[in-house]
């Protein structure tokens, strides 16, 4: 540790870019580790950490429809279950269909950023849950709005307008292009599974495997692709930040964690909370692979609530 670090004066800027998609099962399974990573780096570096999401469009609008949609759904259902067996993430007992397109959810997730990081986090989480808890991906503008109604602090009317705005589409189009310019080291990557993070061939392009984090700071650029343990990300953050200081271990009281994030999977309860058990009034939702725990207000019927959200607790 340098003298400046020891005095607490060394606060390197750290830019983190997350390549993701609302309906990617590996990205869904990585949420517990990413939540803890943001929490620990926030405690260590405060506002010197800048986290940017890039929506890579896993399912594009120009893809040919499957000749047998139900057979495709059953294949993708088995795939998500296999991913969940590695990550510990919940999955829907039955996937009603494969997402027709990633664009509507990605546009909404991008538009939600204008309403602040907390709202944006909760919007993206709702969109993921429609896919991986309900098995009904939010792949239309109407489905997206149904999924996000009731998100605390969200102006749904503004989200509808912003998601339809040309500037938002241009932003996601830029995300699409950026995701298809992967760093050379991941194009020829050879690493152990189950999700090593090698760039994928996508039509005439290569694209980052989802999720991938790219960390930039005084120490250089570090790319962490695919499914990785927390320590891999912490080591990458130390390298990119140019510091040997460890991000402090952080666990929240279960009550505070549920208030902060509103929903917690089993792996998140174990990883993020001191008690390793949800608060007594958390509402349990059984999935095809362990429980999802809801803040009581998330499960309470509301005047503007829709079946898309109520489906979690019915």
């Amino acid at each position: 540790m340098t003298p400046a670090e020891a005095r607490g004066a060394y606060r390197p800027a750290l830019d983190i870019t997350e390549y993701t998609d609302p309906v990617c099962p590996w990205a869904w399974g990585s949420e517990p580790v990413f939540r803890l990573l943001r929490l620990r780096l926030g405690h260590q570096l405060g506002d010197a950490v800048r986290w940017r999401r890039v929506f890579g469009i896993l399912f594009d609008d120009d893809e040919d429809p499957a000749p047998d949609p139900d057979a495709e759904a059953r294949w993708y259902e088995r795939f998500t279950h296999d991913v969940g067996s590695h990550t510990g993430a919940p999955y829907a007992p039955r996937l009603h269909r494969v997402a027709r397109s990633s664009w509507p959810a990605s546009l909404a997730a991008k538009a939600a950023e204008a309403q602040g990081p907390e709202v944006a986090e909760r919007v993206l989480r709702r969109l993921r849950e429609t896919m991986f808890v309900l098995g009904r991906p939010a792949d239309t503008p109407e489905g997206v709005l149904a999924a996000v109604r009731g998100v605390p602090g969200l102006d749904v009317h503004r989200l509808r307008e912003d998601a339809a705005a040309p500037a938002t589409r241009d932003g996601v189009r830029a995300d699409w292009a950026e995701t298809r310019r992967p760093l050379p080291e991941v194009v020829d990557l050879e690493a152990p599974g189950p999700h090593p993070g090698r760039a994928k061939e996508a039509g005439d392009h290569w694209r980052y495997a989802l999720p991938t984090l790219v960390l930039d700071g005084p120490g250089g650029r570090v790319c962490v692709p695919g499914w990785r343990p927390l320590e891999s990300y912490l080591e990458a953050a130390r390298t990119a930040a140019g510091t040997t200081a460890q991000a402090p271990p952080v666990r929240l009281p279960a009550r505070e964690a549920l208030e902060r994030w509103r929903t917690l999977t089993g792996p998140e309860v174990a990883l993020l909370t001191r008690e390793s058990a949800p608060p007594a009034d958390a509402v349990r939702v059984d999935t095809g692979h362990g429980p999802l725990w809801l803040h009581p207000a998330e499960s309470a019927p509301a005047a503007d609530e829709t079946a898309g959200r109520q489906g979690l607790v019915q």
Side-chain angles (χ1 to χ4, degrees):
M1 180 179 295
T2 68
E5 289 175 306
R7 293 193 303 270
Y10 183 69
R11 296 190 58 194
L14 184 62
D15 292 304
I16 301 176
T17 302
E18 176 190 354
Y19 296 92
T20 192
D21 187 281
V23 294
C24 171
W26 287 107
W28 165 242
S30 297
E31 285 218 335
V33 168
F34 287 178
R35 280 181 165 183
L36 186 56
L37 180 66
R38 287 194 294 271
L39 189 66
R40 289 184 63 168
L41 292 178
H43 275 252
Q44 181 186 25
L45 300 174
D47 57 10
V49 180
R50 297 181 288 265
W51 191 296
R52 180 175 69 100
R53 283 201 176 93
V54 174
F55 295 99
I57 307 298
L58 187 60
F59 296 101
D60 215 337
D61 283 345
D62 60 1
E63 294 177 5
D64 294 330
D68 186 339
D70 188 65
E72 182 191 39
R74 301 288 68 75
W75 175 86
Y76 203 72
E77 177 183 274
R78 290 192 294 273
F79 174 66
T80 60
H81 291 189
D82 185 51
V83 172
S85 72
H86 289 294
T87 66
Y91 50 67
R94 181 173 179 81
L95 179 63
H96 295 275
R97 66 175 184 277
V98 176
R100 303 181 185 102
S101 171
S102 293
W103 276 93
S106 297
L107 289 166
K110 178 70 73 176
E113 293 173 357
Q115 299 190 40
E118 233 178 54
V119 168
E121 289 286 333
R122 291 172 177 175
V123 164
L124 180 56
R125 180 64 174 226
R126 285 280 190 97
L127 296 171
R128 294 199 199 281
E129 287 172 356
T130 62
M131 172 74 176
F132 298 108
V133 179
L134 294 176
R136 299 182 183 274
D139 54 5
T140 65
E142 297 76 20
V144 165
L145 293 176
V148 302
R149 282 198 176 92
V151 166
L154 176 67
D155 182 333
V156 177
H157 177 72
R158 179 184 175 187
L159 184 74
R160 180 192 295 113
E161 291 189 342
D162 287 351
T168 304
R169 179 163 287 274
D170 288 346
V172 176
R173 190 176 291 116
D175 283 2
W176 182 99
E178 182 179 339
T179 307
R180 285 154 182 81
R181 294 192 300 269
L183 292 170
E185 57 260 39
V186 299
V187 174
D188 297 319
L189 177 67
E190 296 293 339
H195 183 40
R198 180 187 174 102
K200 308 290 185 182
E201 289 191 67
D204 297 331
H205 303 81
W206 290 90
R207 70 158 173 79
Y208 281 114
L210 307 177
T212 288
L213 293 193
V214 176
L215 302 91
D216 286 284
R221 173 174 292 174
V222 184
C223 182
V224 189
W227 169 251
R228 294 289 184 271
L230 174 65
E231 185 51 44
S232 294
Y233 297 108
L234 293 173
E235 181 180 354
R238 289 193 295 272
T239 300
T243 178
T244 58
Q246 301 279 347
V250 182
R251 287 186 180 224
L252 300 181
R255 167 66 55 201
E256 183 179 341
L258 194 62
E259 290 289 342
R260 177 183 181 127
W261 286 300
R262 307 293 287 187
T263 71
L264 297 168
T265 64
E268 287 166 341
V269 170
L271 192 64
L272 298 168
T273 72
R274 295 174 186 169
E275 298 88 346
S276 296
D281 60 347
V283 177
R284 179 184 174 116
V285 176
D286 289 313
T287 76
H289 191 227
L292 176 77
W293 300 98
L294 301 181
H295 188 285
E298 290 284 304
S299 65
D304 65 347
E305 198 63 71
T306 69
R309 191 57 180 167
Q310 290 177 346
L312 284 173
V313 291
Q314 287 177 346

